[in-house]
Amino acid sequence: MTSANGTVTKSATAFRSIGEAAKELGLPTHVLRFWETKFSALKPVKRRDGRRMYRPEDVDTARAIQALLHDQGLTIKGAQKVIREQGVSAVLDGGVRLGQPIREVIDPSQFNSPAANPVQNLQKTVNDVVESGVFTSTSTAVTEDRLSSLLSELDSVKSRLDAVLVKDAA
């Protein structure tokens, strides 16, 4: 089938050459060749003459790898683990779970660590300081005192969090 701009479009079930697959994904062909060596799930069919032909599922696998590496920022080793444990379809469907949800840090009431209260207090203090307009104040002595107080509080919270990390690691 030919599109309006004169390019040939293939059906969704058609095999694609490595160049066509790379163009569809917006990647250079050497990246796909490299991924073939790193991801066992990416195995295009090779013709007798050695040319790679990507099936639709191969293109989907490459798209999942691209999403993990380029969009999510995972390392190759991390992406290998996600694909091995959760599968290509989970990546493409957006159902991949990477680590703990961020809301545990943002909403400490759901955080079951002894460090939750200091985190809540710190969030409240920072909000209070920002809302008070201390950063727009012309009195540098008040600002320096308040910032020193915040620094002390941050040091205290850091110490508590470090203690929790050490306890959890043991």
Side-chain angles (χ1 to χ4, degrees), residues 42-117:
L42 185 58
K43 290 283 184 208
V45 175
K46 289 192 180 174
R47 298 181 354 177
R48 259 190 238 162
D49 62 1
R51 292 183 59 202
R52 294 164 172 83
M53 296 305 290
Y54 282 76
R55 299 165 293 193
E57 56 267 25
D58 295 322
V59 175
D60 287 343
T61 300
R63 189 172 284 114
I65 294 167
Q66 181 180 31
L68 292 172
L69 295 177
H70 295 181
D71 300 339
Q72 299 291 329
L74 268 62
T75 62
I76 288 176
K77 198 169 209 161
Q80 289 169 335
K81 182 178 179 185
V82 168
I83 289 175
R84 184 175 55 250
E85 292 176 358
Q86 299 182 38
V88 171
S89 59
V91 175
L92 294 174
D93 296 340
V96 172
R97 185 154 190 257
L98 305 173
Q100 298 299 319
I102 292 174
R103 77 177 122 77
E104 289 183 8
V105 175
I106 295 171
D107 183 9
S109 65
Q110 297 180 11
F111 193 74
N112 297 327
S113 167
N117 285 338

Side-chain angles (χ1 to χ4, degrees), residues 80 153 166:
Q80 289 169 335
E153 200 167 336
V166 168

Side-chain angles (χ1 to χ4, degrees), residues 1-10:
M1 180 186 294
T2 305
S3 65
N5 62 2
T7 60
V8 176
T9 57
K10 289 189 170 186

